[in-house]
Amino acid sequence: MVRVLFVCLGNICRSPTAEGVFRKLVQEHDLEQHIEVDSAGTHAYHVNQPPDQRAQGAAVRRGIDLSSLRGRKATMQDLEEFDYVLAMDRENYQNLIGIGGASEKIELFLRYSQRFDDDDVPDPYYGGANGFEQVLDMIQDASAGLLADIRRRYSL
Ligand code: 4NP
């Protein structure tokens, strides 16, 4: 099993969106038996809460249901158990290193994007609705690149 963890700050906007988008892609490629997907936050503000209504609404319009997801905080154990620990921005990348120490598993998620040259998926929490569309555009593109990387690395 290849284990993928997406990480943002609150685990209610960007990382649950990435979890939903990437899980759907994995299902479309019939790889659920091989790839496990989860998400977490580096802060505990929204533990046990469902994704932000704006994130859920934007995802539903692209055919992705985030309603069953609940916030949780990333742990040291996550850094041991997951094969890919993908930070949504540089702040969360640093937060993860603070939790578990430097590791080649910890990467910026947008490293897998072809279309976006940025380091960070911008935090949409305090912005407008367009921020959530931008988050989805970036996440969908990087998800395709990530799946290609996993298939190559694990011969799937
Ligand atoms: P996320 O967005 O990290 O993409 O889930 C945020 C959610 C909540 C807060 C910040 C960012 N907050 O400050 O509560």
Side-chain angles (χ1 to χ4, degrees), residues 54 123-132:
R54 298 165 295 172
D123 183 347
Y125 191 67
Y126 293 107
N130 190 48
F132 288 85

Side-chain angles (χ1 to χ4, degrees), residues 7-17 40-43 45-46 49 51-52 54-55 88-89 92 121-126 132 135:
V7 180
C8 63
L9 194 63
N11 194 210
I12 55 163
C13 298
R14 292 164 292 176
S15 63
T17 298
T42 58
H43 282 263
Y45 312 127
H46 298 285
Q49 291 180 16
D52 186 286
R54 298 165 295 172
M88 292 294 148
D89 62 24
N92 288 296
V121 179
D123 183 347
Y125 191 67
Y126 293 107
F132 288 85
V135 163

